């Protein structure tokens, strides 16, 4: 499979290594200095981790060139509905996930299940912490936002999330973000009561889990049209 990399930072390089190990060909590496090359490259799929400022343009330009896109950039999702619309209008293929780690996606499901259980116990207050490397440009992380949205769907007393260093509003899930050198990603969901605390946590040890998941999804997307997410891929 001919893969175009949109974004060639640490994640792009990790994806490249895994893709080559699986027998794929890297036909282009688009970064801030050579975005014009996207106008001419032919590829079977693009894997996009270009970041919040470049993601939308890179994704939609790929649709115009009939290149399916697997995207993992966060911080641009206010435009995702528009990207979905362009994908459908061009009869393209678009797969978006805030996190491609299989472990994280199991964690997403566990988070929703726990939130549904805790709806019966209003004495527990919920909050979240997320830790990433200092090069991460957005906060909270896309993974933290996905976790918060999963709680809002299942915990009636919470209707929104908020990035906060202090105490969130009563209806909000407070998310604290920390940036520490060389931390791939740690997410903790905490339920606290006057009597005890309950925590669930996912700790990534490297970027390889995220990168391998993106390559596996790119293989799965071949020959498909439409807009997809992890529920379509995992079917659980």
């Amino acid at each position: 499979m001919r893969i175009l990399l949109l974004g060639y930072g640490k994640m792009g390089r990790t994806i490249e290594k895994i893709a080559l190990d699986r027998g794929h060909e890297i036909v282009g590496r688009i970064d801030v200095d050579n975005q014009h090359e996207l106008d001419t490259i032919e590829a079977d799929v693009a894997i996009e981790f270009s970041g919040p400022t470049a993601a939308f343009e890179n994704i939609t330009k790929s649709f115009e060139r009939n290149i399916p896109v697997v995207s993992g950039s966060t911080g641009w999702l206010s435009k995702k509905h528009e990207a979905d619309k362009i994908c459908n209008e061009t009869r393209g293929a678009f797969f978006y996930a805030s996190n491609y780690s299989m472990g994280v996606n199991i964690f997403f499901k566990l988070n929703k299940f726990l939130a549904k259980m805790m709806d019966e116990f209003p004495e527990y207050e919920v909050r979240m912490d997320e830790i990433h490397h200092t090069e991460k440009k957005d906060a909270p992380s896309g993974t933290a936002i996905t976790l918060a949205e999963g709680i809002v769907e299942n915990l009636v007393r919470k209707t929104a999330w908020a990035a906060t260093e202090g105490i969130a509003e009563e209806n909000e899930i407070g998310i604290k973000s920390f940036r520490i050198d060389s931390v791939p990603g740690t997410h903790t969901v905490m339920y606290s009561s006057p009597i005890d605390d309950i925590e669930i946590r996912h700790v990534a040890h490297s970027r390889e889990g995220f990168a391998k998941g993106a390559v596996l999804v790119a293989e799965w997307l071949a020959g498909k049209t439409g807009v997809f997410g992890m529920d379509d891929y995992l079917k659980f």
Side-chain angles (χ1 to χ4, degrees):
M1 187 165 61
R2 299 172 301 164
I3 297 176
L4 169 62
L5 298 176
L6 300 174
Y8 198 56
K10 290 181 180 178
M11 181 62 79
R13 288 177 171 84
T14 306
I15 290 169
E16 178 179 47
K17 181 181 182 301
I18 289 171
L20 292 173
D21 288 345
R22 293 180 65 82
H24 301 301
E25 177 187 1
I26 304 300
V27 295
R29 302 164 184 84
I30 301 297
D31 214 348
V32 64
D33 298 322
N34 68 333
Q35 285 184 301
H36 63 280
E37 293 182 15
L38 181 52
D39 295 329
T40 57
I41 294 174
E42 300 291 335
D44 298 314
V45 65
I47 300 180
E48 186 278 321
F49 281 85
S50 55
T53 58
F56 180 76
E57 182 179 353
N58 284 334
I59 290 165
T60 54
K61 189 175 286 187
S62 297
F63 294 154
E64 292 167 4
R65 304 212 58 249
N66 297 313
I67 301 174
V69 179
V70 173
S71 171
S73 286
T74 56
W76 68 278
L77 294 183
S78 61
K79 293 186 174 181
K80 185 177 181 295
H81 179 74
E82 188 177 348
D84 292 346
K85 183 173 181 288
I86 294 170
C87 174
N88 288 324
E89 287 173 351
T90 57
R91 297 188 59 79
F94 182 36
F95 192 110
Y96 179 79
S98 61
N99 196 305
Y100 283 86
S101 161
M102 298 301 114
V104 165
N105 281 278
I106 293 169
F107 189 63
F108 286 156
K109 295 293 184 181
L110 177 62
N111 172 63
K112 288 183 178 182
F113 181 74
L114 179 58
K116 191 170 185 178
M117 290 180 64
M118 298 307 289
D119 198 40
E120 301 296 322
F121 301 94
E123 64 270 28
Y124 285 88
E125 182 57 44
V126 60
R127 62 184 178 88
M128 293 173 51
D129 288 348
E130 62 99 350
I131 309 171
H132 280 86
H133 51 86
T134 53
E135 295 173 11
K136 186 165 181 61
K137 295 170 183 164
D138 57 313
S141 68
T143 299
I145 292 171
T146 300
L147 287 165
E149 289 173 344
I151 296 170
V152 168
E153 289 173 12
N154 292 280
L155 195 65
V156 172
R157 61 185 179 271
K158 298 297 181 182
T159 59
W161 61 267
T164 178
E165 293 301 317
I167 298 173
E169 296 295 326
E170 187 174 354
N171 68 310
E172 294 176 337
I173 304 159
I175 305 175
K176 291 185 179 180
S177 298
F178 303 89
R179 296 295 174 260
I180 301 172
D181 285 343
S182 304
V183 176
T186 298
H187 294 84
T188 307
V189 179
M190 294 157 280
Y191 289 85
S192 299
S193 80
I195 295 173
D196 57 11
D197 295 342
I198 299 169
E199 294 186 2
I200 56 172
R201 175 180 298 171
H202 180 272
V203 180
H205 300 304
S206 74
R207 291 182 176 85
E208 288 190 13
F210 311 121
K212 184 176 181 181
V215 174
L216 291 173
V217 166
E219 295 170 354
W220 176 87
L221 193 61
K224 294 180 173 63
T225 58
V227 176
F228 304 96
M230 268 296 180
D231 284 345
D232 301 299
Y233 177 72
L234 291 173
K235 293 185 171 62
F236 66 62

